[in-house]
Amino acid sequence: MTRPYLWSPWATAAEQPERVAVVAGEESSTFAELVRSADSLGSGLRGHGVAPGSVVSTDIPTGPRFFALALAALRHGYGLLPVDLAHYGTPVGPAILRDMAVALHITDDASRSGSLPLPCPTLLDTELAATPEAPGEHGRPAAAPRAGFLAFTTSGTTGQPQAVSRTAPRYAYKGVAVADRYSAGILLGPHLMANPAYHLGTLGPALYALQAGSAVVVQQDWSPAAFAELADRHGADSAFLSPDRLLELVAAREAPRRPLRTVFHGGDSCPVEVKRQAIELLGPVLHEYYGTSRSILTEITTPEWLRHPGSVGRPLAGIRVDVRRDGVPVPTGETGEIHAHLRAADLAPGDASVLGTGDIGFLDEEGYLFVVGRAGKEHPYAQPRFEYEIRRLPGVVDAAVVAGADLDCHVEARPDRETAGLRTDIEEAARRLGLPVPRVRLAPPGTLPRTPSGKIRRAALGPVPVAREHP
Amino acid sequence: MTDRTDVLHQVLAAAATVFECEVGPSDSFFSLGGDSIMAVELATVMEGLLDTEVHTETVVDAPDFAALAAALAGTPAGDVSPATAGPAAAAGAERR
């Protein structure tokens, strides 16, 4: 076991300049090219007078140009807010940019440069990289800036996506602390991004691996077979799977022939049965996390999960989690809203140190957290508990419960599950929890609407027809 | 290993170097803004001052610097404990 050490892409570029850094379809870059681009972009931002610490936004797809910009932000002291291209033609994109006081939007498409209706100037990344740096005061080089950060939007499962502010680090960029358990480094194979969406859950592991010295391989067209093929072709050692893609991989029983060392997943509840199948398929390498768009709160390894099935793990060092009802912590095992006591490093001035997550869950005797679901409006605790119990029923692949005037259950179930029995089990669970008789829609796996991050898009589910359907 | 008081002085000196501020025995690594990168830095500086192996897990598990000094003075490091940060945190600031 290697003790943790600090490393960065600039260190990789110095040791192995021709090492492949990013692969996305036909495009690729070496570490030397990547850090050269990042430094040019950083100089360009200063040359354009963008103040250190400012936030810039981008719609560049995940690939060599995106990662160069991300590293430019981290090393040269800017916040980078990636916003899905789909939002720019709607009021959502400009609203997010206004909220975050974005100074500049950076794109890779000349047709969008200057044509997007945004509340800030737009510039091509190539123009930015070609901009000469303004000379420092009295010709002296400026001191190393504080490290930058990436900011994210919420995934929009229940409404419109919103930007979440992040805390700028206090110190100059130094890379990452490389730890064995995340299976990335200069001696290890690439990280495979199976869902290259703009979210902390998927960009976080990729940026970590890249900074640790591994290449990042972007899977541009998803299929379980293509995932296994790409992992084998590039000799990947780690991968990230969004909730929907983990479900599909398990259903297709596709796994790389060369076993992955670490598979990150998280972002939404994974039914216990599905996760057991994923462990059988991929090996004891699943690394689940739970958090918000602001920070990761808990992690769990596969051996821990097998001792605490269904848990999302224990809080990271320096973070405390408690479960409250009406603001008062509840005893172990009781359900309530999950609150996180964040680390000072995660707090901005004026932040409350306790973050209400809006998720409902409970802690077990050993402090392992179980996430039941989002707080319901009509039935704050019973509704997410109901959804959690539906997810534990045999044959259920995923579920979302939406309560308005009626209690609507949208359930993805395996085709071999007998539907009348499943409906009865669901109705029985509602009765036990004191909920009204639910309306149940059974759907084949993979057919409910999803966000780009792979969660069920609840806002798009619509009412369940009164008449029973047959999948 | 020197006695606990000496170790505490060295721990506080190392923390003051890494955090670039005055540090007391009741301060904690995380209350001062510590993250995974600073855990590696602090462990490295302490190793230089104490001439003994210091694990980052020991650094992040101690509730304050007095407890960290006690752990270093009393027993060799080598425990296993929760991580300071997941890779997902790396996108935020690279120093969680």
Side-chain angles (χ1 to χ4, degrees):
Chain A
M1 186 148 159
T2 317
R3 61 171 296 161
Y5 59 94
L6 304 187
W7 197 255
S8 81
W10 282 264
T12 305
E15 285 211 357
Q16 296 184 28
E18 298 309 311
R19 181 171 168 82
V20 171
V22 182
V23 180
E26 299 299 309
E27 291 184 70
S28 68
S29 64
T30 64
F31 273 93
E33 291 164 341
L34 183 71
V35 301
R36 196 160 54 237
S37 294
D39 286 333
S40 298
L41 290 162
S43 298
L45 285 166
R46 287 192 293 276
H48 269 275
V50 182
S54 301
V55 176
V56 297
S57 60
T58 190
D59 57 41
I60 299 176
T62 42
R65 292 164 78 167
F66 173 84
F67 283 105
L69 183 60
L71 292 179
L74 295 177
R75 190 184 198 202
H76 295 271
Y78 295 94
L80 179 65
L81 174 71
V83 180
D84 200 307
L85 190 56
H87 296 315
Y88 290 104
T90 73
V92 173
I96 289 171
L97 269 54
R98 265 193 300 276
D99 280 354
M100 293 290 282
V102 168
L104 182 69
H105 180 75
I106 302 158
T107 184
D108 63 347
D109 185 332
S111 70
R112 289 198 289 276
S113 177
S115 67
L116 291 172
L118 299 180
C120 65
T122 303
L123 201 62
L124 278 172
D125 60 339
T126 47
E127 292 172 336
L128 186 63
T131 305
E133 185 164 3
E137 193 185 353
H138 308 303
R140 284 177 304 175
R146 287 162 53 160
F149 58 95
L150 262 75
F152 295 93
T153 60
T154 57
S155 54
T157 48
T158 51
Q160 294 294 3
Q162 293 179 328
V164 178
S165 63
R166 302 277 306 210
T167 311
R170 296 161 54 192
Y171 310 103
Y173 175 75
K174 290 169 188 174
V176 288
V178 183
D180 281 348
R181 62 182 171 275
Y182 301 131
S183 305
I186 198 158
L187 299 176
L188 289 165
H191 173 84
L192 178 52
M193 283 182 90
N195 179 356
Y198 285 159
H199 290 282
L200 172 60
T202 181
L203 279 175
L207 269 170
Y208 168 85
L210 188 64
Q211 292 177 90
S214 282
V216 169
V217 174
V218 180
Q219 181 172 4
Q220 294 178 314
D221 297 304
W222 167 255
S223 77
F227 172 83
E229 190 278 324
L230 259 185
D232 280 330
R233 191 192 331 156
H234 293 280
D237 274 325
S238 69
F240 169 82
L241 286 163
S242 52
D244 53 343
R245 293 191 175 170
L246 183 64
L247 298 179
E248 285 187 46
L249 203 68
V250 168
R253 300 205 58 76
E254 289 279 0
R257 285 192 302 278
R258 177 183 187 276
L260 293 156
R261 292 170 188 255
T262 300
V263 176
F264 299 98
H265 76 104
D268 211 354
S269 305
C270 181
V272 168
E273 183 183 326
V274 172
K275 179 137 175 177
R276 283 194 196 283
Q277 292 166 352
I279 294 167
E280 280 173 27
L281 181 68
L282 297 166
V285 298
L286 272 78
H287 192 101
E288 185 170 358
Y289 67 86
Y290 162 72
T292 67
S293 297
R294 189 186 179 97
S295 65
I296 300 301
L297 301 175
T298 69
E299 286 184 341
I300 191 164
T301 63
T302 298
E304 285 178 289
W305 188 90
L306 290 169
R307 292 195 301 274
H308 302 267
S311 173
V312 293
R314 285 197 284 196
L316 303 178
I319 291 176
R320 278 192 301 119
V321 164
D322 63 37
V323 172
R324 302 177 182 190
R325 278 198 186 207
D326 304 320
V328 180
V330 299
T332 296
E334 288 192 19
T335 305
E337 190 187 352
I338 299 166
H339 284 74
H341 303 248
L342 299 177
R343 296 179 288 208
D346 295 324
L347 295 173
D351 276 354
S353 64
V354 183
L355 173 75
T357 63
D359 288 330
I360 302 299
F362 62 92
L363 291 160
D364 73 8
E365 294 289 345
E366 292 181 51
Y368 282 84
L369 179 67
F370 291 72
V371 179
V372 165
R374 295 293 294 174
K377 284 189 183 137
E378 300 294 322
H379 316 282
Y381 304 112
Q383 181 190 323
R385 185 86 204 190
F386 178 41
E387 186 176 293
Y388 175 75
E389 296 206 0
I390 294 173
R391 259 193 219 101
R392 295 174 82 92
L393 293 172
V396 171
V397 172
D398 210 346
V401 174
V402 181
D406 295 294
L407 189 63
D408 286 349
C409 307
H410 303 261
V411 181
E412 287 185 352
R414 282 203 317 262
D416 58 354
R417 178 68 161 99
E418 190 264 316
T419 57
L422 180 53
R423 285 178 187 279
T424 305
D425 287 350
I426 292 169
E427 287 165 4
E428 173 61 21
R431 197 188 57 74
R432 273 199 313 274
L433 290 163
L435 291 166
V437 177
R439 299 195 304 192
V440 180
R441 170 191 175 198
L442 299 180
T447 57
L448 293 180
R450 299 262 173 181
T451 65
S453 59
K455 300 179 185 183
I456 295 175
R457 190 191 296 276
R458 290 159 195 271
L461 286 171
V464 172
V466 177
R468 284 184 167 187
E469 304 171 13
H470 298 284
Chain B
M1 178 68 76
T2 49
D3 70 32
R4 189 174 292 189
T5 310
D6 287 344
V7 174
L8 178 59
H9 283 139
Q10 305 283 32
V11 165
L12 295 179
T17 302
V18 170
F19 286 101
E20 298 178 346
C21 65
E22 254 186 62
V23 174
S26 60
D27 287 326
S28 80
F29 177 77
F30 288 111
S31 69
L32 292 176
D35 53 35
S36 61
I37 288 192
M38 296 175 88
V40 173
E41 291 182 322
L42 184 54
T44 305
V45 174
M46 286 194 297
E47 284 187 349
L49 292 176
L50 296 168
D51 195 25
T52 187
E53 191 173 8
V54 179
H55 289 229
T56 53
E57 288 84 355
T58 314
V59 172
V60 300
D61 279 350
D64 57 30
F65 291 120
L68 175 56
L72 292 172
T75 53
D79 51 332
V80 176
S81 64
T84 49
E94 317 326 307
R95 32 177 60 253
R96 291 295 188 267

